[in-house]
Amino acid sequence: MTATTTEAATDSYHPARIEPEIQRRWEQQGAHRAELGDGDKFYCLSMFPYPSGKLHMGHMRNYTIGDVISRYLGMRGRHVLQPMGWDAFGLPAENAAMANGVPPAKWTRDNIAHMRSQLKSLGFALDWERELATCDPDYYRWNQWFFLRLLKRGIAYKKTGVVNWDPVDQSVLANEQVVDGRGWRSGALVEKREIPMYYLRITDYAQELLDSIDQLDGWPDNVKTQQANWIGRSEGAEISFACGDETIKVFTTRPDTLMGATYMAVAAEHPLAREAARANPALAAFIEQCQKGGVSEAELATQEKLGMDTGLKAIHPLTGAELPVWVANYVLMGYGEGAIMAVPGHDERDFEFALKYELPIVQVITRPDGAAYDAQVWHYDYATKTGQLLNSGPYDGLSCEAGFQAIVNDLEKREAGRARIQFRLRDWGISRQRYWGCPIPIIHCDDCGDVPVPDEDLPVRLPEDLVPDGAGNPLARCEAFVNATCPNCGKPARRETDTMDTFVDSSWYFLRYTCSNNDQAMVDEHTRAWMPVDQYIGGIEHAILHLLYARFWTKLMRDEGLVDVDEPFSRLLTQGMVLAETYYREDESGRKQWFNPADVDIERDDKGRFLRAVLRDDGQPVEAGGVEKMAKSKNNGVDPQALVEQYGADTVRLFSMFASPPEQSLEWSDAGVEGAWRFLKRLWAGVHVHLEAGGTDRALDTAALDDAGRELRRLLHEAIAKVGDDYGRRYTFNTAIAAIMEFSNHLNRYQQAATADRALCQEAWSSIVRLIAPVTPHIAEALWQALGHAGSVFKAGWPEVDESALVRQTVTLVVQVNGKVRGRLALAPDSPREEIERQALAEENVRRFTEGQTVRRVIVVPNKLVNIVVG
RNA sequence: GCCGGGGUGGCGGAACUGGUAGACGCGCCGGACUCAAAAUCCGGUUCUGGAAACAGAGUGAGGGUUCGAUUCCCUCCCCCGGCACCA
């Protein structure tokens, strides 16, 4: 091979020419239409995108992972369904409308059209005939229909809930819209406000959702752990404390510490607190103070603990002692009973509160090793259940477990309490005071109350021409929408203007893909045939909420007789985020201006270490701000479309699969993309060098191969085995690609020799092309054809591993002395232990380290390692 | 604050079940080609010492278990995801 041949062959790789042509061919042939048939189905689902405007790297990575798995299993003969759709309702469309006056519907549909064409240019094997968008009435009518079934079953119900209220904009704010306790647009201090909302009784399914986590063998442990912790089953007791004529009911996981209860604390919204505040202006002011701030748990958990004595006394159910009742901002209405018994001796939050307000702290559980109790400083072991009870009267000396039982028994006898199981999980509030969402199909009638919209009147259509302005829900001001007739009595009535949480939309879209053109039913027999989803792929940020709601919704539909699976997703892959370097300059006022990495050049020293970064436009330095998640705010987003135009889809796909394993975060690197591009050029050139050398039609005669040929063929079949394992079992596409690169380096070297076996080269290139096809489908199609094969590479099947090619003549064993590598041995595989020991001890460098020492032990790991322990 | 995850060369990462730390790629250095550059090709590249052979150190920090630890255990530091109305 001469340099000029390579150059000519390299220069002839033109992705911009071949990719659109191959995509056209796939489309004409309906290559990606999902059809059931003989053999196993494979439903491969990637989380559908929110149509935010254009595809970002996270999407690109997500869908490439799904495409690699789909195409790989398609080549192995599975009937693959890989659909795509749009999570099209939500806040960003309303924000965009406020910014530029375009109705959310138009903005959303324009974005969908653009992003669809972007997805197509990336060559994903998607079945577009099943496309759906959650903002289409054909989709959301089934949200409404199913909601009405849930209402009938009592799973959906109405109660009040607490929301963030912006008193200036007169609007409910999302947690995201509360910044440092203020509304993001008005800057007003946010308040808590109680409003009526619809809820779904997910707590009825808490135990099942927890138990069936065990069935999720194909889910990562960290996600399963997070879900289990979120559901948070705890065994404890419900205890009633008399308080005047009222009763304060609390739940505690530690009834064994009941004798250490020194005060009670109730939430600011608790009826007793409100009652006490009527005669106590200071308390009323404090309760009002507690209404300030947002409702997010992170905010509540980190705020300073504040409280005030109500003056009320509660009676301890076992001792009859009077306990002061406090209002405390760390007790939350809506979590448990909105009241707690405080045991500052053994609960860290109560301890902190008691120290601050000088409430008594009593030790009722011994510490390990009889250590003394220090009521000034919290120690971690105070909260453990390892000690015995003390200062607990008749219960002294009992273990925590026995104390738990004894105290609960006594409470039951006095009818002051009972054992109870409590979940951390709360019912799912689905009402949103927003326009761009699925209308809740309810009509409010003065006479008949809340009346469900009859099935035949569904869908309740969302008007699509409204433009939100940030002050409340425009639906509520849309008379044409609000004015309705009561389905019950026929009198004028008002339509519900709340819409559903967008998590409702995304809780069953995977079911709808199986039958998206059915306008008679929510799901059908195709759903039963395709479900469950065999592989689900999406961002780790959805580990709890979306995945839990989708599991819940599936069980609801099962109990309605609509689907027959208990769990929707057999196997789950959670991809990490896509990151990029950030660059900025700071002006005098400390404000940072962010520059896109594409506009910045890096200067390095002669060892390749980073020296400084300069802006290409003015040659002046910029600061490196570290690697962060790609985001508009840091201007570090890299546009996949621009890269596709520059390098082609295959290069972008290759880099995003090669740069890191899917579960880890991926750091974007233009130089890395350049490397992927170079590899594809070398691959193209390597095949063409082979073809120019004559290719071959001759069958491979493995018996006739020389040593170099046998070695190359062993490496080939090792690579085939490794790549199949990486694609199919490990999902480590980076190592699969590394193995393909490594082997093609060997092959390029091998085929330059005059003695190279052309039939072996033909086998090798034809195999490599199939191995890389799931990642870079366009170049694979083109090279498959160039190698003289008819039809699509994706119909060619997966290369078989020839076990006989894997046999080695020798293996290399490492020889260690006291755990340090001192030499290597080349031996026949599975050599006898005595032979290995003899040769290891005879090795020259090994002898230097064993000389004059006693050999105490020799450890042999077959075909791998010998460790000689001396001393 | 609570729950989950992560930390390995100049950089992205590899090492799958406790067995050769650094595969593959980037960057950098040297060479070939070129009037020159780009592109391409060849070689080198964890750090320290050494011409080399080789030796010592080394996987966020500290300790432990083991013949042997990136991998298992304990303590600590830093970074990231989620926290129920962003999706």
Side-chain angles (χ1 to χ4, degrees):
Chain A
M1 183 186 69
T2 64
T4 44
T5 329
T6 313
E7 248 171 80
T10 302
D11 288 349
S12 66
Y13 173 48
H14 294 294
R17 269 181 235 161
I18 64 171
E19 289 184 355
E21 171 54 33
I22 286 166
Q23 286 165 13
R24 230 181 340 267
R25 201 190 307 162
W26 288 334
E27 197 154 346
Q28 274 165 15
Q29 295 168 349
H32 307 139
R33 190 178 298 127
E35 273 159 7
L36 291 159
D38 296 338
D40 291 337
K41 62 97 182 175
F42 188 82
Y43 183 178
C44 184
L45 177 74
S46 291
M47 289 183 185
F48 63 168
Y50 180 81
S52 54
K54 52 186 183 180
L55 223 56
H56 58 64
M57 265 323 158
H59 296 133
M60 146 79 207
R61 186 185 194 197
N62 195 157
Y63 305 142
T64 303
I65 294 167
D67 206 44
V68 172
I69 296 170
S70 293
R71 287 184 181 274
Y72 168 67
L73 287 171
M75 290 175 80
R76 301 217 91 154
R78 304 285 288 269
H79 295 270
V80 176
L81 164 57
Q82 197 185 198
M84 186 50 67
W86 310 97
D87 189 12
F89 275 138
L91 267 186
E94 300 200 21
N95 295 333
M98 283 182 245
N100 52 39
V102 181
K106 177 170 167 43
W107 182 84
T108 302
R109 294 213 163 81
D110 287 351
N111 288 349
I112 287 174
H114 183 233
M115 291 170 75
R116 184 192 299 117
S117 75
Q118 289 190 298
L119 283 174
K120 289 190 173 179
S121 75
L122 281 158
F124 298 131
L126 296 166
D127 183 350
W128 285 103
E129 291 171 23
R130 296 163 184 272
E131 181 183 1
L132 58 82
T134 57
C135 64
D136 287 342
D138 289 346
Y139 183 82
Y140 67 68
R141 66 177 294 187
W142 300 110
N143 284 359
Q144 298 174 343
W145 178 82
F146 196 68
F147 171 80
L148 295 175
R149 307 275 90 64
L150 295 177
L151 203 59
K152 209 167 277 173
R153 273 169 62 195
I155 296 288
Y157 67 99
K158 206 174 184 183
K159 68 168 182 180
T160 61
V162 188
V163 295
N164 301 305
W165 179 254
D166 185 322
V168 171
D169 275 348
Q170 296 281 299
S171 275
V172 175
L173 299 180
N175 285 334
E176 181 192 52
Q177 297 172 316
V178 179
V179 181
D180 298 329
R182 291 171 183 276
W184 68 348
R185 286 162 53 79
S186 69
L189 283 170
V190 167
E191 299 167 7
K192 298 182 188 72
R193 176 173 277 212
E194 280 197 87
I195 58 167
M197 300 204 287
Y198 283 96
Y199 283 83
L200 302 185
R201 285 189 207 280
I202 192 172
T203 50
D204 280 8
Y205 285 74
Q207 190 66 53
E208 194 196 339
L209 286 165
L210 185 63
D211 290 342
S212 48
I213 288 174
D214 290 342
Q215 298 169 26
L216 302 174
D217 298 326
W219 283 40
D221 286 338
N222 61 342
V223 175
K224 290 196 278 188
T225 307
Q226 282 188 81
Q227 292 229 341
N229 290 343
W230 184 261
I231 294 166
R233 183 183 198 272
S234 53
E235 293 179 9
E238 175 187 294
I239 306 177
S240 296
F241 292 73
C243 178
D245 299 335
E246 306 288 329
T247 301
I248 303 176
K249 211 198 260 183
V250 306
F251 175 83
T252 174
T253 57
R254 297 297 303 275
D256 50 314
T257 64
L258 177 56
M259 302 304 267
T262 59
Y263 66 98
M264 307 290 292
V266 300
E269 298 88 353
H270 196 279
L272 263 172
R274 292 190 173 166
E275 179 64 27
R278 287 208 293 192
N280 184 342
L283 186 62
F286 175 71
I287 288 172
E288 195 171 327
Q289 172 73 24
C290 289
Q291 296 305 307
K292 295 250 187 296
V295 298
S296 79
E297 190 183 281
E299 188 178 339
L300 296 170
T302 50
Q303 73 190 356
E304 193 194 354
K305 286 176 189 53
L306 297 173
M308 182 175 278
D309 195 347
T310 61
L312 298 170
K313 302 291 178 198
I315 304 303
H316 192 289
L318 297 181
T319 66
E322 283 194 340
L323 303 177
V325 179
W326 284 61
V327 174
N329 67 350
Y330 71 97
V331 181
L332 304 163
M333 205 66 209
Y335 294 68
E337 305 291 341
I340 60 159
M341 69 173 205
V343 183
H346 302 280
D347 179 281
E348 191 169 4
R349 288 174 307 174
D350 298 346
F351 185 91
E352 193 189 317
F353 191 85
L355 268 187
K356 178 167 180 174
Y357 291 104
E358 298 179 337
L359 290 156
I361 296 171
V362 178
Q363 180 194 14
V364 290
I365 307 285
T366 59
R367 295 189 64 192
D369 309 321
Y373 190 93
D374 179 351
Q376 295 305 309
V377 183
W378 175 261
H379 292 272
Y380 172 76
D381 63 81
Y382 291 178
T384 60
K385 292 187 176 182
T386 48
Q388 287 99 48
L389 273 61
L390 82 163
N391 298 327
S392 294
Y395 310 105
D396 282 358
L398 293 177
S399 68
C400 289
E401 219 169 299
F404 185 118
Q405 285 310 323
I407 289 173
V408 168
N409 284 343
D410 288 348
L411 287 170
E412 279 174 358
K413 274 183 219 149
R414 296 168 191 224
E415 296 186 342
R418 61 187 177 93
R420 200 178 93 184
I421 288 158
Q422 170 86 6
F423 292 95
R424 201 188 79 95
L425 182 69
R426 311 196 301 264
D427 276 345
W428 175 13
I430 60 159
S431 294
R432 297 290 179 270
Q433 298 69 44
R434 312 205 182 287
Y435 160 55
W436 191 237
C438 167
I440 294 175
I442 295 286
I443 290 171
H444 302 289
C445 171
D446 288 340
D447 294 342
C448 309
D450 300 342
V451 183
V453 173
D455 285 354
E456 57 271 24
D457 293 346
L458 297 182
V460 176
R461 283 175 183 273
L462 185 71
E464 295 205 346
D465 52 352
L466 305 184
V467 182
D469 58 6
N473 181 354
L475 259 194
R477 301 190 298 262
C478 176
E479 301 237 331
F481 180 80
V482 174
N483 294 332
T485 317
C486 173
N488 221 14
C489 67
K491 281 191 199 151
R494 285 162 295 108
R495 213 175 270 290
E496 169 70 47
T497 60
D498 280 0
T499 52
M500 293 186 198
D501 181 3
T502 56
F503 276 127
V504 171
D505 308 328
S506 56
S507 287
W508 69 283
Y509 74 107
F510 46 91
L511 297 169
R512 189 63 184 169
Y513 279 139
T514 62
C515 60
S516 55
N517 298 316
N518 187 338
D519 59 3
Q520 298 302 307
M522 187 175 186
V523 291
D524 61 23
E525 69 279 6
H526 298 105
T527 316
R528 273 178 276 275
W530 281 112
M531 286 297 289
V533 171
D534 296 281
Q535 178 67 56
Y536 196 24
I537 305 141
I540 182 65
E541 66 274 20
H542 295 293
I544 299 178
L545 291 179
H546 161 64
L547 288 169
L548 188 67
Y549 291 142
R551 293 179 60 215
F552 169 50
W553 197 276
T554 300
K555 291 174 194 294
L556 291 175
M557 286 184 63
R558 174 202 63 194
D559 290 349
E560 200 67 34
L562 294 168
V563 297
D564 49 18
V565 292
D566 292 324
E567 285 290 337
F569 313 124
S570 301
R571 198 169 165 178
L572 173 71
L573 194 155
T574 50
Q575 65 157 356
M577 293 177 311
V578 181
L579 318 174
E581 190 62 67
T582 57
Y583 300 99
Y584 67 91
R585 278 183 195 150
E586 223 165 343
D587 63 20
E588 306 79 46
S589 63
R591 271 248 299 272
K592 285 173 178 168
Q593 186 191 357
W594 299 91
F595 298 100
N596 196 276
D599 304 324
V600 172
D601 286 327
I602 308 300
E603 295 178 2
R604 295 174 189 281
D605 69 8
D606 61 5
K607 288 193 170 171
R609 280 185 292 243
F610 175 89
L611 275 182
R612 61 171 199 161
V614 298
L615 189 65
R616 198 167 306 128
D617 279 356
D618 59 15
Q620 295 302 304
V622 293
E623 300 294 318
V627 175
E628 303 229 29
K629 181 178 178 175
M630 280 190 186
K632 269 187 194 149
S633 61
K634 298 281 171 72
N635 190 17
N636 64 339
V638 177
D639 182 11
Q641 195 65 32
L643 289 165
V644 170
E645 279 156 25
Q646 193 178 349
Y647 296 100
D650 284 341
T651 291
V652 186
R653 294 170 58 122
L654 179 64
F655 174 71
S656 67
M657 291 301 96
F658 180 61
S660 64
E663 305 219 290
Q664 276 180 43
S665 58
L666 180 153
E667 195 177 316
W668 199 260
S669 147
D670 287 341
V673 178
E674 201 59 60
W677 164 245
R678 279 203 287 265
F679 171 72
L680 291 183
K681 282 201 290 186
R682 275 201 304 276
L683 177 66
W684 184 271
V687 170
H688 283 89
V689 166
H690 162 65
L691 294 171
E692 282 158 29
T696 186
D697 297 328
R698 184 169 57 80
L700 175 62
D701 177 4
T702 53
L705 291 173
D706 59 11
D707 282 355
R710 269 204 308 279
E711 167 81 357
L712 186 84
R713 193 151 186 278
R714 178 175 63 79
L715 293 171
L716 168 63
H717 285 270
E718 281 175 359
I720 294 172
K722 163 134 187 86
V723 171
D725 189 47
D726 285 352
Y727 282 165
R729 179 181 64 90
R730 295 214 304 153
Y731 286 0
T732 50
F733 311 111
N734 56 328
T735 54
I737 293 164
I740 293 168
M741 287 176 168
E742 198 170 6
F743 178 72
S744 50
N745 290 343
H746 288 300
L747 177 54
N748 268 320
R749 222 163 295 151
Y750 172 83
Q751 76 172 357
Q752 290 175 54
T755 53
D757 185 305
R758 295 297 153 202
L760 176 58
C761 293
Q762 175 73 12
E763 184 201 30
W765 286 120
S766 296
S767 300
I768 287 188
V769 163
R770 280 178 289 170
L771 295 183
I772 200 76
V775 179
T776 57
H778 309 90
I779 194 174
E781 285 281 34
L783 292 177
W784 184 249
Q785 203 177 334
L787 284 162
H789 303 289
S792 165
V793 67
F794 296 102
K795 301 282 179 213
W798 192 250
E800 296 277 341
V801 177
D802 180 351
E803 298 290 337
S804 71
L806 299 177
V807 177
R808 284 169 178 267
Q809 305 299 310
T810 60
V811 291
T812 304
L813 275 84
V814 160
V815 186
Q816 299 181 332
V817 178
N818 285 347
K820 290 192 188 244
V821 179
R822 299 300 181 189
R824 288 181 170 75
L825 296 176
L827 290 172
D830 304 316
S831 295
R833 191 189 159 98
E834 303 73 48
E835 176 69 10
I836 295 170
E837 282 192 31
R838 193 182 59 74
Q839 291 211 28
L841 287 163
E843 210 272 344
E844 196 189 329
N845 198 44
V846 170
R847 283 170 63 180
R848 285 176 49 203
F849 289 89
T850 51
E851 208 132 276
Q853 311 248 35
T854 313
V855 175
R856 304 204 178 271
R857 230 173 126 180
V858 180
I859 288 137
V860 176
V861 180
N863 298 327
K864 273 198 172 156
L865 168 145
V866 185
N867 188 13
I868 300 163
V869 185
V870 298

